[in-house]
């Protein structure tokens, strides 16, 4: 092989190299044939060759030389040597040349790479006798006890079928009765029955939805209503920067204000009502609750504080719409998500312990967990129970078809078939499924909201968390590869995942579209890698099925290829920002004014300019409109007003505003503090991602 390597380096694989190899092979073959012609003498221990005699030691030496030649890696194969002994003009092809003929089309691949590929492929084939893993139950008599109990008292299949029917019926009825209790709330004198609202509902509409001067959100004062909030609104956060004066809020509940010097809690109108109610102590984050919210018009100096697990944001100026909560209200309302969760956990666990059929275990559990997530533990935004049920029913039908594919084609049947470890199945598979289905609680500590470059860049700790997740997945993948090799199925699944990787690469390079890996997509990709009956696979498969259920029940069938605008939400658009020179300030004895001008529009697609004062749109102008075109904007205030005012500017395309500048401040002393470079946003994308939350509430 050393000689061959030297030749490789010298000739490099061209035609001269091939001829050299042939000459070398012919020479070695002639030597081998010559050695085989030596015939030892039976009597004298000598060999006659061409009239000359040689000793037995010479014969032994030739024989050893022959063996050494034949064992050389470049020696011709035995069959070829025997066939061609009679014809010296057609020497046999050396073994390494025969091996390379199969790689004729891949000559451009370096030989070490080809050799490594062959070795890996042979290794991936697995051992000669594959081992199909089967879980041997710990304490088998204990784990088989429920099954033996059924065999003793219900030996007939018809009786068991009726038992399953009644059992599932009781599960459904119990779930419905408990859920019905959660929909009722005591009527409040003077306010009526509380209306159910979501965690992200506000009085002030997002994205300048209240219009110029906030007229679309009137009245600012005197209105109110009785409300009922669900549990766990403390975790409802804004996911993109939301401007509040000169500061920006992100990854926390949008609650602006709190208790003032008089002890009354006052909140800005764009605060989350349920989050503010938790902050004020009106309701509980654990079980939700009800109360009465009342509009109190324009207020100043919103204090920041931390109460009941929520840190509010301060604002040192005025806002036209504010609200507070009525005190002394007697109201009883309770979020039933935890009782509903307990019902489904108990019924699914009993089913897992007593049922041995994979299908009878998988499909009822899949259905029960889906509806528990969709109606109780993590429902999408809704305005009525009927609307929520209709939405979940629309997602449920394709989810059940996918469940059959997962069961029959993606390895669930193989994992659960013949499994007699009833307790281990309940703990590992079912427990893991509940962990995945409750991802809004179990994985809430992971600082990743979406797997997009924008979110990973702006969320603290997201990249480190992603790195840890990748390492964990790599360790799990290595262990699963070893198990698949032992079962002799590794090559098949490597081909499958090679196709999946190719599909992902194609999706990434498609123009105009961005790849987004949702909950359910991630579960479907990884699920085939758990199709074996081992304890780790039971746990992994349960978690992945739970992730799929949470993704579909909560978010629906979102596409995995989305446009940049759909992924962007309310994040910065990257649009041009107006250039605002230093304003002209006039300080008077009664009134003071500040006048702004701006440069030319950077492009014909931009139609006008919008100005915000204290996060409320106060001015619009359209360049081509002769009746509504102005080259400047003047804002006046009382001379004695000792408050900061915050100004932001944005170009408009049609009636929609582009990115706003950061806030410039006209401070209490009448001086101008220029804005910092870069954009800001005034609308908030909440954790609901537009699923019916964050909507405007009309006072009544």
């Amino acid at each position: 092989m050393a000689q061959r390597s030297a030749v490789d380096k010298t000739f490099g694989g061209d035609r001269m190299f091939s001829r050299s190899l042939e000459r070398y092979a012919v020479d070695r073959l002639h030597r081998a044939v010559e050695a085989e012609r030596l015939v030892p003498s039976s009597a004298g221990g000598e060999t006659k060759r061409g009239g000359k005699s040689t000793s037995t030691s010479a014969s032994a030496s030739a024989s050893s030389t022959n063996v050494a030649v034949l064992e050389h890696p470049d020696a011709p194969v035995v069959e070829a040597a025997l066939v061609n002994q009679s014809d010296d003009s057609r020497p046999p092809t050396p073994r390494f040349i025969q091996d390379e003929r199969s790689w004729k089309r891949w000559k451009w691949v370096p030989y070490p790479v080809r050799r490594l590929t062959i070795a890996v492929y042979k290794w991936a084939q697995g051992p000669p006798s594959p081992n199909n893993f089967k879980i041997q139950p710990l304490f088998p008599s204990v784990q088989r006890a429920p099954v033996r109990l059924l065999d003793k008292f219900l030996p007939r299949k018809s009786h068991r079928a009726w038992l399953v029917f009644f059992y599932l019926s009781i599960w459904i009825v119990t779930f419905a009765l408990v859920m019905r209790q959660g929909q009722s709330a005591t009527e409040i004198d003077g306010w009526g029955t509380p209306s159910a609202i979501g965690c992200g509902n506000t009085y002030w509409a997002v994205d300048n939805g209240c219009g110029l001067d906030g007229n679309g959100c009137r009245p600012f004062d005197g209105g109110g209503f009785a409300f009922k909030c669900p549990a766990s609104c403390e975790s409802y956060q804004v996911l993109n920067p939301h401007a509040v004066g000169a500061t920006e809020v992100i990854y926390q509940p949008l609650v602006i204000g709190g208790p003032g010097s008089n002890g009354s809690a006052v909140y800005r109108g764009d605060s989350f009502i349920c989050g503010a109610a938790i902050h004020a102590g009106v309701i509980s984050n654990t079980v939700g609750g009800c109360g009465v919210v009342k509009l109190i018009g324009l207020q100043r100096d919103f204090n920041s504080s931390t109460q009941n697990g929520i840190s509010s944001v301060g604002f040192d100026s005025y806002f036209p719409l504010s609200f507070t909560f009525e005190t002394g209200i007697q109201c009883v309302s309770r979020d039933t998500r935890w009782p509903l969760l307990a019902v489904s956990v108990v019924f699914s666990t009993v089913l897992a312990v007593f049922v041995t059929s994979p299908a009878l275990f998988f499909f009822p559990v899949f259905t029960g967990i889906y509806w528990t997530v969709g109606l109780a533990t993590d429902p999408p935004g809704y305005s009525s129970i009927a609307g929520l049920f209709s939405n979940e029913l629309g997602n449920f039908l394709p989810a059940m078809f996918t469940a059959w594919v997962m069961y029959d084609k993606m390895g669930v049947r193989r994992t659960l078939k013949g499994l007699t470890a009833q307790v281990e199945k309940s703990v590992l598979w079912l427990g893991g499924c509940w962990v995945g289905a409750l991802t809004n609680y179990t994985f809430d500590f992971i600082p990743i909201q979406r797997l997009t470059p924008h979110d990973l860049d702006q969320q603290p700790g997201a990249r480190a968390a992603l790195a840890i997740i990748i390492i964990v997945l790599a360790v799990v993948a290595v262990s699963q590869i070893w198990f698949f090799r032992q079962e002799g199925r590794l090559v098949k699944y490597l081909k499958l995942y090679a196709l999946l990787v190719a599909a992902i690469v194609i999706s990434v390079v498609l123009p105009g579209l961005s790849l987004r890996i949702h909950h359910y997509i991630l579960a479907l990709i990884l699920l085939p890698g758990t199709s074996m009956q081992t304890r780790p696979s039971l746990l992994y498969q349960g978690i992945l099925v739970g992730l799929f259920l949470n993704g579909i029940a909560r978010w629906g069938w979102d596409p995995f290829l989305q446009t940049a605008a759909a992924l962007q939400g309310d994040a910065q658009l990257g649009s041009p920002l107006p250039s605002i020179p230093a304003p002209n300030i006039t300080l008077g004895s009664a009134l003071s004014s500040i006048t702004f001008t701006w440069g030319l529009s950077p492009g014909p697609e931009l139609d006008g300019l919008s100005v915000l004062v204290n996060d409320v749109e106060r001015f619009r102008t359209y360049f081509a409109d002769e009746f509504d075109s102005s080259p400047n904007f003047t804002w006046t205030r009382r001379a004695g007003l000792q408050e900061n005012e915050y100004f932001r500017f944005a170009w408009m395309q049609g009636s929609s505003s582009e990115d706003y500048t950061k806030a410039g401040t006209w401070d209490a002393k009448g001086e101008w503090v220029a804005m910092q470079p870069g954009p800001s946003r005034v609308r908030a994308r909440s954790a609901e991602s537009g699923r019916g939350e964050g909507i405007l509430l009309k006072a009544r």
Side-chain angles (χ1 to χ4, degrees):
M1 294 302 293
Q3 294 176 355
R4 179 182 176 184
S5 299
V7 174
D8 284 347
K9 294 179 180 179
T10 304
F11 298 100
D14 54 10
R15 187 172 299 176
M16 183 179 297
F17 172 56
S18 300
R19 293 176 180 176
S20 300
L21 290 177
E22 291 177 1
R23 289 195 297 269
Y24 174 78
V26 170
D27 180 66
R28 299 303 297 267
L29 178 62
H30 286 172
R31 293 182 183 180
V33 172
E34 186 68 19
E36 290 180 358
R37 289 178 180 176
L38 297 177
V39 181
S41 174
S42 57
E46 295 182 351
T47 303
K48 294 183 179 180
R49 179 183 176 189
K52 297 182 181 180
S53 299
T54 59
S55 64
T56 305
S57 60
S59 175
S61 175
S63 178
S64 62
T65 302
N66 181 27
V67 173
V69 170
L70 292 178
E71 289 181 353
H72 192 279
D74 292 338
V77 294
V78 177
E79 292 79 5
L82 295 177
V83 171
N84 292 282
Q85 281 182 1
S86 60
D87 187 3
D88 292 342
S89 64
R90 298 181 59 189
T93 304
R95 182 180 298 140
F96 67 90
I97 296 180
Q98 293 183 14
D99 292 342
E100 289 193 355
R101 283 179 177 175
S102 60
W103 291 84
K104 185 176 180 180
R105 298 181 180 179
W106 303 91
K107 287 184 177 180
W108 54 272
V109 180
Y111 177 74
V113 175
R114 285 180 276 171
R115 183 172 57 185
L116 179 62
T117 303
I118 294 174
V120 171
Y121 180 79
K122 291 181 178 178
W123 176 86
Q125 294 292 327
S129 300
N131 177 26
N132 290 325
F133 292 99
K134 293 292 181 181
I135 294 178
Q136 300 301 321
L138 301 174
F139 307 104
S141 59
V142 176
Q143 298 201 50
R144 289 286 300 174
V147 179
R148 289 198 301 269
L149 188 65
L150 281 180
D151 292 338
K152 180 179 179 180
F153 292 99
L154 292 173
R156 299 178 59 180
K157 291 185 178 180
S158 59
H159 293 168
R160 295 186 183 186
W162 280 109
L163 177 63
V164 170
F165 173 78
F166 285 117
Y167 182 81
L168 297 180
S169 299
I170 294 172
W171 185 355
I172 296 172
V173 172
T174 305
F175 189 92
L177 292 176
V178 174
M179 185 174 180
R180 184 174 180 271
Q181 292 180 352
Q183 305 309 313
S184 60
T186 57
E187 186 171 338
I188 302 175
D189 293 339
W191 296 95
T193 303
S195 300
I197 62 175
C199 294
N201 287 125
T202 64
Y203 268 111
W204 196 265
V206 298
D207 195 21
N208 293 340
C210 290
L212 201 62
D213 297 324
N215 290 325
C217 295
R218 291 182 180 273
F220 295 156
D221 195 0
F225 73 103
F227 66 90
K228 181 179 67 173
C229 290
S232 301
C233 286
E234 177 186 326
S235 60
Y236 193 94
Q237 303 174 346
V238 290
L239 303 182
N240 279 322
H242 178 86
V244 179
T247 63
E248 291 184 347
V249 181
I250 187 172
Y251 299 122
Q252 70 179 85
L254 185 60
V255 177
I256 307 167
S261 57
N262 60 355
S264 177
V266 177
Y267 299 92
R268 217 171 81 160
D270 53 349
S271 300
F272 295 156
I273 296 176
C274 291
I278 295 174
H279 183 265
V282 175
I283 65 173
S284 166
N285 179 65
T286 305
V287 297
C290 55
V292 173
V293 60
K294 186 177 180 180
L295 295 177
I296 53 176
L298 186 146
Q299 298 293 319
R300 290 179 164 84
D301 296 328
F302 298 87
N303 297 323
S304 64
S305 62
T306 300
Q307 296 183 161
N308 303 314
I310 292 181
S311 296
S312 66
V313 181
F315 183 59
D316 61 352
S317 191
Y318 59 87
F319 198 80
L321 188 154
S322 307
F323 63 85
T324 187
F325 297 100
E326 288 285 318
T327 58
I329 297 296
Q330 299 297 324
C331 177
V332 178
S333 175
R334 185 180 182 185
D335 191 303
T336 56
R337 67 180 62 193
W338 303 119
L340 288 172
L341 175 62
V343 168
S344 293
V345 168
V346 170
F347 274 90
S348 61
T349 302
V350 173
L351 186 70
V353 170
F354 281 91
V355 170
T356 57
S357 168
L360 189 57
F361 163 72
F362 175 73
F363 288 103
V365 166
F366 185 96
T367 303
I369 295 180
Y370 173 87
W371 286 104
T372 303
V373 173
L375 298 180
T377 61
D378 198 12
Y382 64 95
S383 57
S384 65
I385 294 299
L388 174 63
F389 185 83
S390 175
N391 181 37
E392 293 297 339
L393 185 61
N395 292 326
F396 176 69
L397 296 179
M400 287 306 297
F401 172 76
T402 309
W404 175 81
V405 175
M406 295 164 66
Y407 175 79
D408 195 59
K409 306 299 181 182
M410 302 181 74
V412 174
R413 184 207 298 267
R414 184 185 184 94
T415 302
L416 298 177
K417 187 176 181 180
L419 181 61
T420 58
Q422 300 297 98
V423 176
E424 292 179 76
K425 178 180 69 176
S426 303
V427 173
L428 296 176
W429 200 100
L430 182 61
C433 192
W434 278 114
V435 168
L438 299 174
T439 181
N440 53 319
Y441 301 103
T442 54
F443 298 138
D444 188 54
F445 65 93
I446 299 177
I448 298 178
Q449 297 295 336
R450 301 185 305 174
L451 286 176
T452 61
H454 175 267
D455 283 33
L456 293 175
D457 287 337
Q458 74 175 4
Q459 189 165 6
R463 290 192 175 275
L466 180 61
I468 294 174
I469 292 173
I470 292 175
I471 292 173
V472 172
L473 290 178
V475 172
V476 171
V478 169
S479 66
Q480 293 298 99
I481 287 174
W482 185 86
F483 284 120
F484 273 112
R485 179 181 179 274
Q486 294 301 111
E487 289 194 346
R489 298 188 293 137
L490 179 58
V491 174
K492 172 184 176 182
Y493 281 86
L494 287 178
K495 293 178 180 179
L496 172 63
Y497 278 99
L499 291 176
L500 292 176
V501 170
I504 291 175
V505 172
I506 293 174
S507 300
V508 169
V509 300
L510 286 177
L513 294 172
S514 299
L515 176 66
R516 181 180 177 186
I517 305 297
H518 299 277
H519 289 62
Y520 76 94
I521 295 292
L522 182 64
L524 292 177
I525 290 175
L526 299 180
L527 193 62
T530 65
S531 62
M532 66 182 67
Q533 195 177 111
T534 62
R535 289 180 177 87
S537 292
L538 277 180
L539 178 62
Y540 304 151
Q541 191 174 98
I543 292 175
L544 292 176
V545 172
L547 281 176
F548 174 84
L549 288 168
N550 179 271
I552 298 302
R554 177 63 183 82
W555 304 105
W557 298 91
D558 277 357
F560 64 93
L561 289 176
Q562 295 180 290
T563 62
L567 286 175
Q568 188 174 29
D570 65 338
Q572 286 83 358
L573 303 173
S575 61
L577 298 174
S579 177
I580 307 297
N584 181 25
I585 299 176
T586 302
L587 301 178
S589 58
L591 292 176
S592 298
S593 65
I594 183 170
T595 301
F596 298 92
T597 58
W598 44 85
L600 297 176
S601 168
E605 72 279 1
L606 301 176
D607 305 307
L609 184 106
S610 170
V611 182
L612 305 179
V613 181
N614 285 355
D615 306 325
V616 179
E617 191 174 29
R618 297 295 188 178
F619 175 79
R620 280 191 177 195
T621 183
Y622 292 92
F623 306 136
D625 193 336
E626 59 178 319
F627 300 105
D628 194 14
S629 177
S630 175
N632 56 59
F633 166 64
T634 299
W635 180 257
T636 61
R637 72 182 185 188
R638 297 193 311 272
L641 184 64
Q642 299 295 313
E643 291 178 333
N644 295 332
E645 290 181 303
Y646 302 95
F647 296 80
R648 302 173 189 267
F649 302 83
W651 300 116
M652 292 194 305
Q653 190 171 10
S655 60
S656 300
S657 59
E658 301 292 291
D659 284 340
Y660 282 90
T661 64
K662 293 187 181 298
T665 306
W666 190 18
D667 65 16
K669 298 179 181 179
E671 298 177 353
W672 173 250
V673 180
M675 66 278 292
Q676 297 295 320
S680 65
R681 300 296 291 177
V682 296
R683 53 180 179 171
R685 176 175 64 82
S686 65
E688 297 294 327
S689 186
R691 295 277 178 170
E693 298 282 6
I695 59 176
L696 171 67
L697 294 176
K698 284 291 186 180
R700 54 184 177 88

